[in-house]
Amino acid sequence: MRALELKGICKSFGTIVANDSVDLVVEKGSIHALIGENGAGKTTAMNIAAGLLQADRGEIWVQGVHKSPFRQPLDALLCGIGMVHQHFMLAGAMTAFENIVLGSGFMPFSKKKKKEELLALAKKFGILVDLDMPVECMSVGEQQRVEILKVLSRKVSLLICDEPTAVLTPQEVERFFDQLRLLKIQGTSVILITHKLHEVMRVADQVSVFRQGRVVAHSKVSDTNAEALAFAMLGSRVAPVQVIRRPRSADKVLELKNCELKPGAHVSFDVHAGEIVGIAGVEGNGQLELFEALMTTSSLKRSIVVDDRLVSGVIPAWSVWENFILGNQDTFFPHGVADKQKMRQSCMQALQEYGVKPLDCDARFGTLSGGNQQKVVIARALYQQPRCLIAAQPTRGVDLGAVALIHQKLLAARDAGCGIVLISSELEEIMSLSDRIFVLFRGAFVGIFTPDTYDEALLGRCMGGTH
């Protein structure tokens, strides 16, 4: 039986066509991966399936039954469809528990019993969540765990996960995949939106490739390989980024001494010109506190990339060029007078250099796909050739092509003498780019690695507190 079928789904935002006659079939009790570049339309199609958006045209079928277009997520939930979003749908002032039970109906329940049920569910799926903590006090990784637990508590028959492994260690990813396989055995269908092709090959049964708003390829995972999928996604092959290790300069651009990130846990480290220092760890172990501490250190021409651009990095309602100048005001406002021509020209040059789509500096920033938004953020951070860059999750939720471009730009900045602090939950990214790696666990460094000692299993154990 087909758990979900989309027929001829079309969706446009003004002149931008997000979905162009999308046809998709998801079999019951299967794990179905959706891949494609940022802006290819996969998340839009799933937002329609989950009731967050309404299609302009097209049909939705659930378990062989034709459904009227969903007007809200509750309509989809009543049909057994739940979605864990890349950008979270949580009320910041409420606790994790309040967020989870919010929208579950008005049936009376025992708070104590409900908490016990949620804790049992969290334990079953290996999801560590403090139910009494306000969401606004949580890290990005902790918030994602709340989202996953919230959807699982609805007892959905079709679970849609948008980039669910971005904040997990390799060991946690394995446990998460084990649970997905268990859900499949029990008859639950899973749609996995991901940019990680190795995840597709390891856990998915079928895969569909989105490009420019259409499904351009579909196959059983057993009938394809990562290289073929990458080519289908991009229409070309992605050249591997060449990383050349260089001797460390004596010139320090940043130094942090005896900083307390968690009660009783202190860290010290420095960053030299022309090196990338990677900070690895499961989110919630002091990354946010470290990032904030680094904001107060003295360094020359420091630039930042925040981990959640839509919350504290940009103003989505403003245009692309207006967001591009944020942080670069000293360049664009000489003597306190705005040089609007230079602003727009500089922004347009950056859009061209970074391959941002659409090539429109007047477009509202919030209408860009996640990957294109991140390209603008990286271009802005590197515009003035900073001596020090603090980059938190620079490629989160970004497609293969954009990841390669961002990595190239970071390495070029390093080679030009920039000292970079790379805070990332992507262990592969940390290992491939970093000249030194510090592993953070509960606010302290529990491991320090150099390229000759990089080992994914050992790093993963350090991240999990077993070292």
Side-chain angles (χ1 to χ4, degrees), residues 372-390:
N372 285 302
Q373 290 178 359
Q374 193 67 4
K375 288 179 184 179
V376 175
V377 169
I378 298 294
R380 180 182 67 187
L382 295 176
Y383 176 70
Q384 293 195 71
Q385 299 180 328
R387 285 271 288 157
C388 178
L389 172 68
I390 301 163

Side-chain angles (χ1 to χ4, degrees), residues 229-426:
L229 291 176
F231 187 84
M233 284 173 56
L234 306 173
S236 61
R237 288 177 172 79
V238 178
V241 175
Q242 299 296 323
V243 181
I244 300 174
R245 308 292 180 186
R246 302 179 185 278
R248 191 191 313 172
S249 164
D251 181 16
K252 293 182 182 180
V253 298
L254 183 148
E255 189 170 15
L256 192 67
K257 291 184 177 181
N258 201 33
C259 178
E260 187 175 36
L261 302 184
K262 300 283 186 180
H266 297 76
V267 298
S268 299
F269 77 109
D270 53 33
V271 181
H272 294 244
E275 78 162 340
I276 297 178
V277 174
I279 307 296
V282 180
E283 293 202 32
N285 279 282
Q287 290 92 329
L288 177 60
E289 293 84 354
L290 176 62
F291 186 85
E292 292 175 344
L294 293 175
M295 293 299 96
T296 65
T297 61
S298 59
S299 61
L300 181 64
K301 293 186 69 176
R302 177 181 54 214
S303 188
I304 64 170
V305 174
V306 299
D307 67 339
D308 193 332
R309 57 184 174 269
L310 294 180
V311 172
S312 55
V314 300
I315 303 175
W318 284 14
S319 69
V320 172
W321 74 264
E322 288 172 318
N323 277 282
F324 181 76
I325 68 172
L326 294 177
N328 294 318
Q329 290 92 327
D330 56 334
T331 297
F332 297 117
F333 288 81
H335 311 296
V337 179
D339 188 343
K340 290 188 177 180
Q341 183 178 0
K342 183 178 181 180
M343 294 177 189
R344 296 171 65 85
Q345 288 178 345
S346 299
C347 179
M348 184 58 71
Q349 289 172 358
L351 299 189
Q352 293 171 336
E353 179 182 347
Y354 282 74
V356 176
K357 299 175 183 178
L359 191 62
D360 180 6
C361 62
D362 291 314
R364 187 166 63 86
F365 188 91
T367 64
L368 272 60
S369 70
N372 285 302
Q373 290 178 359
Q374 193 67 4
K375 288 179 184 179
V376 175
V377 169
I378 298 294
R380 180 182 67 187
L382 295 176
Y383 176 70
Q384 293 195 71
Q385 299 180 328
R387 285 271 288 157
C388 178
L389 172 68
I390 301 163
Q393 313 298 345
T395 61
R396 171 175 285 157
V398 171
D399 64 60
L400 289 175
V403 167
L405 183 142
I406 291 172
H407 285 179
Q408 289 169 359
K409 296 298 184 182
L410 292 177
L411 289 169
R414 181 204 69 173
D415 293 344
C418 181
I420 300 173
V421 179
L422 174 62
I423 303 174
S424 176
S425 56
E426 297 287 350

Side-chain angles (χ1 to χ4, degrees), residues 44-299:
T44 298
M46 291 303 98
N47 280 336
I48 290 171
L52 256 78
L53 295 173
Q54 284 190 311
D56 299 331
R57 295 189 305 278
E59 300 178 355
I60 301 176
W61 294 68
V62 180
Q63 299 191 33
V65 179
H66 181 259
K67 299 293 181 180
S68 300
F70 298 138
R71 296 185 178 277
Q72 57 183 342
L74 183 58
D75 295 338
L77 279 171
L78 291 174
C79 291
I81 300 174
M83 183 171 181
V84 177
H85 299 271
Q86 182 180 353
H87 298 297
F88 311 130
M89 306 294 177
L90 299 171
M94 293 184 173
T95 65
F97 176 78
E98 291 166 339
N99 270 280
I100 291 170
V101 300
L102 184 67
S104 60
F106 297 98
M107 295 294 291
F109 61 85
S110 164
K111 185 175 180 180
K112 180 181 178 181
K113 185 177 180 181
K114 188 68 175 179
K115 276 192 175 182
E116 290 174 349
E117 293 175 356
L118 290 173
L119 289 172
L121 186 64
K123 183 178 180 180
K124 175 183 176 183
F125 286 91
I127 303 170
L128 300 178
V129 173
D130 183 345
L131 294 177
D132 297 316
M133 180 183 288
V135 165
E136 63 189 2
C137 298
M138 292 182 170
S139 69
V140 175
E142 290 168 322
Q143 291 178 18
Q144 187 183 53
R145 293 170 213 162
V146 174
E147 281 279 25
I148 292 173
L149 186 58
K150 180 175 70 174
V151 174
L152 291 176
S153 72
R154 303 294 198 268
K155 300 179 180 179
V156 297
S157 58
L158 173 61
L159 176 65
I160 304 171
C161 299
D162 193 355
E163 302 288 348
T165 64
V167 295
L168 304 180
T169 68
Q171 289 85 354
E172 288 174 322
V173 170
E174 286 301 325
R175 288 197 294 270
F176 177 71
F177 284 169
D178 287 342
Q179 293 305 321
L180 292 188
R181 295 182 185 105
L182 179 60
L183 286 170
K184 182 181 77 168
I185 292 171
Q186 295 172 343
T188 300
S189 309
V190 178
I191 296 177
L192 180 66
I193 304 174
T194 181
H195 293 112
K196 302 175 183 178
L197 297 184
H198 65 276
E199 292 186 354
V200 175
M201 301 308 300
R202 283 165 55 196
V203 75
D205 301 303
Q206 301 188 24
V207 56
S208 296
V209 182
F210 278 67
R211 192 186 332 148
Q212 296 180 347
R214 290 176 171 267
V215 176
V216 297
H218 170 80
S219 70
K220 293 181 179 179
V221 170
S222 58
D223 294 337
T224 188
N225 57 58
E227 184 178 1
L229 291 176
F231 187 84
M233 284 173 56
L234 306 173
S236 61
R237 288 177 172 79
V238 178
V241 175
Q242 299 296 323
V243 181
I244 300 174
R245 308 292 180 186
R246 302 179 185 278
R248 191 191 313 172
S249 164
D251 181 16
K252 293 182 182 180
V253 298
L254 183 148
E255 189 170 15
L256 192 67
K257 291 184 177 181
N258 201 33
C259 178
E260 187 175 36
L261 302 184
K262 300 283 186 180
H266 297 76
V267 298
S268 299
F269 77 109
D270 53 33
V271 181
H272 294 244
E275 78 162 340
I276 297 178
V277 174
I279 307 296
V282 180
E283 293 202 32
N285 279 282
Q287 290 92 329
L288 177 60
E289 293 84 354
L290 176 62
F291 186 85
E292 292 175 344
L294 293 175
M295 293 299 96
T296 65
T297 61
S298 59
S299 61

